[in-house]
Amino acid sequence: MPDHTITASDSRRSSARIVAAGITAIVLILAVAGALLLLTLPDGNAFNARVERIFVENDNLQSQAEVALLEILAQSGTAFSDTLASYRVVIFVLLVFATALLVAALVFLVLLISLNRRMAQIERSGIEVSSLIISREENTVYLNTMGFKLTDAMIETLSVLAEARLDDEMLSGAQIESMISGKPEMDCEEAAGATRIKRLRDGLGNQMVSELLVKNIARRGYVLAIDKGVIEVI
């Protein structure tokens, strides 16, 4: 049990470090890219500066058409400056959205990897059950803090498995059927016991939980994958 706790803590710390490093890298990369992009944009006042220079160098213009042309150029320079300013705002907003999306993707990826590792650990070690109480009167099994209402047949199947676990034994499908039905083992079929196990798992509901709780060891039989010290039949 302590080994599992240490492993989980190490995994959380490792995931936190990966997320922090990934977020830092994403922010730095996008910040550098955004800075380069904004710095390479032309100066918004460059056009206005050229128009002003034309006004200064040609202060002897007399024609109304020439003056109107210069005014149009000045207005175009102002419009160009405003357009570049709006481009900068759009680029900044897009960079913020890109940063948020990449950070979210990184966090979800790390969470998914951590969840897969945790699921693999659970599959290897089985369910951590602190209490398994079988109540024949109520036809209910209490697994940790969860209660499962079962049929009489399911309770009998679980009780047989619990008694076998207390004796450190594994039961084949034929042995389970024999103990429940009272018939000789040679007259019972393996499939009948396997059917009882399947119905028990269906009664427990969650497929992953039930299959990890009631394990099938190849060529040996069925067993409750829990510490026998937590089992109580009432």
Side-chain angles (χ1 to χ4, degrees):
M1 297 295 292
D3 292 337
H4 294 296
T5 303
I6 294 173
T7 301
S9 301
D10 291 342
S11 177
R12 286 193 295 270
R13 286 194 293 268
S14 177
S15 300
R17 287 194 295 267
I18 293 174
V19 171
I23 292 175
T24 303
I26 289 172
V27 172
L28 287 177
I29 292 173
L30 289 179
V32 171
L36 291 176
L37 184 59
L38 293 175
L39 289 175
T40 54
L41 286 175
D43 184 10
N45 293 319
F47 199 96
N48 287 333
R50 296 294 180 87
V51 174
E52 183 180 356
R53 181 178 177 184
I54 293 176
F55 271 107
V56 172
E57 293 179 354
N58 299 274
D59 55 350
N60 57 350
L61 295 176
Q62 301 295 330
S63 172
Q64 186 69 25
E66 293 175 341
V67 174
L69 178 60
L70 290 178
E71 290 178 352
I72 293 173
L73 290 175
Q75 293 174 358
S76 300
T78 302
F80 178 73
S81 177
D82 294 340
T83 301
L84 283 182
S86 64
Y87 281 173
R88 286 184 170 87
V89 174
V90 170
I91 291 172
F92 176 77
V93 172
L94 290 177
L95 286 175
V96 171
F97 273 109
T99 303
L101 290 175
L102 288 176
V103 169
L106 176 65
V107 172
F108 283 123
L109 179 61
V110 172
L111 289 177
L112 183 60
I113 294 174
S114 300
L115 180 60
N116 288 336
R117 289 179 178 175
R118 181 58 180 163
M119 294 297 293
Q121 181 182 0
I122 292 175
E123 290 179 357
R124 290 193 300 268
S125 60
I127 301 175
E128 296 179 3
V129 178
S130 59
S131 174
L132 178 66
I133 302 175
I134 303 172
S135 176
R136 293 179 180 271
E137 294 182 357
E138 301 176 1
N139 282 346
T140 305
V141 57
Y142 297 95
L143 180 61
N144 292 341
T145 59
M146 299 179 294
F148 298 90
K149 192 74 174 179
L150 304 177
T151 64
D152 292 338
M154 294 176 187
I155 285 291
E156 289 298 326
T157 304
L158 185 58
S159 299
V160 167
L161 290 172
E163 292 172 2
R165 181 68 185 93
L166 291 173
D167 296 333
D168 292 324
E169 295 178 352
M170 292 188 182
L171 299 177
S172 65
Q175 290 174 322
I176 293 174
E177 178 65 21
S178 173
M179 296 176 69
I180 295 175
S181 64
K183 296 187 294 186
E185 182 179 341
M186 64 182 63
D187 296 335
C188 299
E189 297 182 356
E190 183 71 21
T195 300
R196 290 184 181 274
I197 294 295
K198 181 181 182 304
R199 290 174 180 170
L200 174 60
R201 286 173 172 170
D202 292 340
L204 292 175
N206 190 299
Q207 182 177 0
M208 184 195 72
V209 171
S210 59
E211 290 190 1
L212 291 176
L213 178 64
V214 184
K215 281 194 173 182
N216 181 14
I217 309 300
R219 295 184 298 276
R220 297 184 63 185
Y222 299 95
V223 64
L224 291 180
I226 59 176
D227 183 5
K228 62 182 181 180
V230 305
I231 299 175
E232 182 180 355
V233 180
I234 59 175

